[in-house]
Amino acid sequence: MIENISFDELVSLIRRNYDRDVLITFHSIGDRDAVGSAVALSEYMPHSTVAMPDFLTNNARKMLASVNYDKKITAKFVHASTVIVTDADNTSVLGPFSKELLAYTGDVLFIDHHLRTEDLKTELPNAASVYVFSDETFNSTCSVVYAVLERLNYRVSKEVATLLVNGM
């Protein structure tokens, strides 16, 4: 079942997954918004893994280097209880991870700021639940993530704030 969720429901889902094993990924050719929002969420979620479907843009790599981000962003789809996809609202933009998500049986959460362009009804037939938060009133996914972290009373570090601002 696909469920379009409100901001409050998004915050609740992030809070509920705080201490679970979570895979956080983003669209193919990860840019500053996609990567910054994924890494910022991973800093909040202690048991999360950030994975890239293929590669990062030069600007995204420079952004991570500017904050001395030294954690590994894996290129492998790691099975977890929940998958969070930042800066995308469908599987067609996930490169090699599209096939992985087709077989995935856990919960999937898409966080985006663009106008919905595709329907997910037939895209993830095996997922337990699929949640989509997509709100054009936000200028970036980083701004969505910042608002979520603020609502959760999570004090972002200077490095995370830098990533979020870069993504905005």
Side-chain angles (χ1 to χ4, degrees):
M1 180 176 101
I2 303 200
E3 186 177 345
N4 291 307
I5 60 172
S6 69
F7 181 76
D8 288 338
E9 291 167 319
L10 172 63
V11 171
S12 179
L13 273 171
I14 298 294
R15 181 181 290 123
R16 197 171 345 149
N17 281 283
Y18 168 78
D19 212 14
R20 297 177 75 193
D21 58 322
V22 175
L23 173 66
I24 306 172
T25 190
F26 41 83
H27 60 72
S28 179
I29 312 171
D31 60 16
R32 291 182 301 171
D33 186 21
V35 176
S37 55
V39 170
L41 271 178
S42 77
E43 292 296 307
Y44 170 75
M45 304 174 110
H47 304 292
S48 62
T49 300
V50 179
M52 59 182 163
D54 43 28
F55 59 91
L56 308 180
T57 64
N58 285 336
N59 284 336
R61 280 190 272 122
K62 288 177 186 175
M63 174 187 71
L64 292 173
S66 76
V67 297
N68 297 316
Y69 185 76
D70 59 359
K71 295 179 185 168
K72 184 171 172 66
I73 297 179
T74 184
K76 294 181 181 181
F77 189 93
V78 178
H79 289 277
S81 59
T82 301
V83 172
I84 298 175
V85 181
T86 63
D87 206 26
D89 67 2
N90 65 75
T91 59
S92 67
V93 297
L94 300 179
F97 285 3
S98 294
K99 286 183 182 178
E100 298 283 355
L101 269 179
L102 281 174
Y104 180 70
T105 58
D107 292 336
V108 180
L109 168 60
F110 289 88
I111 304 173
D112 198 15
H113 66 103
H114 296 104
L115 178 65
R116 296 284 312 275
T117 57
E118 293 192 31
D119 195 4
L120 284 168
K121 286 186 175 123
T122 57
E123 286 191 58
L124 298 173
N126 298 313
S129 296
V130 178
Y131 304 98
V132 179
F133 178 82
S134 189
D135 187 339
E136 290 181 272
T137 64
F138 288 92
N139 70 344
S140 63
T141 303
C142 279
S143 61
V144 174
V145 169
Y146 175 76
V148 167
L149 295 176
E150 184 177 49
R151 177 74 66 85
L152 292 168
N153 295 315
Y154 179 71
R155 186 178 168 104
V156 300
S157 65
K158 178 182 174 185
E159 293 78 16
V160 169
T162 300
L163 295 176
L164 292 170
V165 167
N166 265 272
M168 292 179 195

